[in-house]
Amino acid sequence: MAATQLTASPVTVSARSLASLRASSAKFGTLKPGTLKQSQFRSLVVRAASVVAPKYTSIKPLGDRVLVKIKEAEEKTMGGILLPSTAQSKPQGGEVVAVGEGRTIGKTKIDIDVPTGAQIIYSKYAGTEVEFNDVQHLILKEDDIVGLLETEDIKDLKPLNDRVFIKVAEAEEKTAGGLLLTETTKEKPSIGTVIAVGPGSLDEEGKRQPLSISTGSTVLYSKYAGNDFKGKDGSNYIALRASDVMAILS
């Protein structure tokens, strides 16, 4: 999820509309008023962080939502090299500053397990950004929280709900025939070792169902699932839902 996102769905443009477009500047910001009619480009949407006016002094999330103060992007690499703004990785973590009252499953009231003040990691495209008191926040559902992080190293992540945390196996450096692979030809592995598991998801009665995957297992997981992370030791990690684990290898 980005603070500003430009999305467009397929549209049909008439010859007259194309003529109007050619007469306009190629830069979106310099289009003259009235160049594009609403009926011509109805699906073009610009979404940015909602700004809360200063007259409001607090935000209270509802239901199973939480309010998170977003961690600022890293300005330097681990080696101390200053990064330009375009190269700074968008953070996926922050501090919980407020929580909702929870939700009801069947007849069971389920409180939010994540306390205020907790440092969390959340799904990459989750939630809605809100600018409050000149600080970027995120409102998201509790289920979009990947895990708790009590240290500065991602390897210590404690996954929540039905998520598992995996240390990714290193990519093969040679083919089966012994040919050396370059970095660009190494296939991204989808095998790793489970180093932590969540407590499980809630059933229809609001009870936790423990995961069948245990720590220490070597697993095969869906290649495009989950959230990828780089540890301070240079190792690659991934957090994903248990349903994205396809098999246990032995």
Side-chain angles (χ1 to χ4, degrees):
M1 182 202 64
T4 303
Q5 182 177 353
L6 186 65
T7 59
S9 301
V11 293
T12 302
V13 183
S14 65
R16 183 178 298 176
S17 300
L18 288 173
S20 298
L21 288 169
R22 292 192 187 100
S24 303
S25 170
K27 293 185 179 180
F28 185 78
T30 58
L31 288 175
K32 296 179 179 179
T35 300
L36 294 179
K37 296 181 179 179
Q38 184 176 2
S39 59
Q40 294 173 350
F41 231 145
R42 188 173 299 165
S43 299
L44 187 60
V45 179
V46 177
R47 293 185 298 186
S50 301
V51 179
V52 178
K55 65 179 180 179
Y56 300 107
T57 58
S58 67
I59 299 177
K60 173 63 177 177
L62 299 177
D64 59 343
R65 292 177 176 85
V66 299
L67 178 66
V68 178
K69 179 181 176 182
I70 299 176
K71 180 180 179 181
E72 294 183 1
E74 296 290 341
E75 296 184 355
K76 292 184 179 180
T77 65
M78 293 176 61
I81 300 174
L82 187 65
L83 294 172
S85 58
T86 54
Q88 292 174 15
S89 59
K90 183 176 176 60
Q92 282 180 239
E95 178 185 348
V96 175
V97 295
V99 301
E101 67 274 13
R103 56 181 170 143
T104 300
I105 300 179
K107 296 181 179 180
T108 306
K109 178 70 166 55
I110 307 296
D111 294 327
I112 292 179
D113 287 336
V114 182
T116 58
Q119 299 293 322
I120 65 164
I121 301 294
Y122 49 81
S123 295
K124 190 176 297 183
Y125 302 106
T128 300
E129 285 196 9
V130 177
E131 184 178 319
F132 180 60
N133 290 337
D134 296 325
V135 178
Q136 294 297 323
H137 292 75
L138 190 70
I139 297 179
L140 71 165
K141 287 183 173 292
E142 182 189 18
D143 190 53
D144 289 322
I145 299 176
V146 174
L148 303 177
L149 189 59
E150 298 175 349
T151 72
E152 292 294 324
D153 199 338
I154 193 65
K155 71 178 180 61
D156 298 320
L157 180 72
K158 294 181 179 179
L160 297 180
N161 298 319
D162 61 339
R163 287 182 172 83
V164 296
F165 192 50
I166 297 170
K167 182 177 181 180
V168 180
E170 294 185 5
E172 294 291 339
E173 296 186 355
K174 292 183 179 181
T175 65
L179 295 177
L180 188 66
L181 296 173
T182 63
E183 288 296 327
T184 55
T185 56
K186 290 180 183 178
E187 184 177 357
K188 180 183 176 182
S190 53
I191 296 175
T193 302
V194 177
I195 59 175
V197 299
S201 57
L202 298 171
D203 63 15
E204 295 179 355
E205 297 180 353
K207 297 180 181 179
R208 290 284 178 190
Q209 297 299 312
L211 301 179
S212 59
I213 303 168
S214 58
T215 58
S217 300
T218 300
V219 296
L220 176 69
Y221 56 86
S222 181
K223 184 174 293 186
Y224 301 106
N227 295 269
D228 300 299
F229 304 98
K230 176 77 76 173
K232 287 188 174 182
D233 59 355
S235 299
N236 293 310
Y237 298 88
I238 186 168
L240 40 74
R241 295 188 184 275
S243 58
D244 290 317
V245 176
M246 299 184 292
I248 295 177
L249 306 178
S250 60

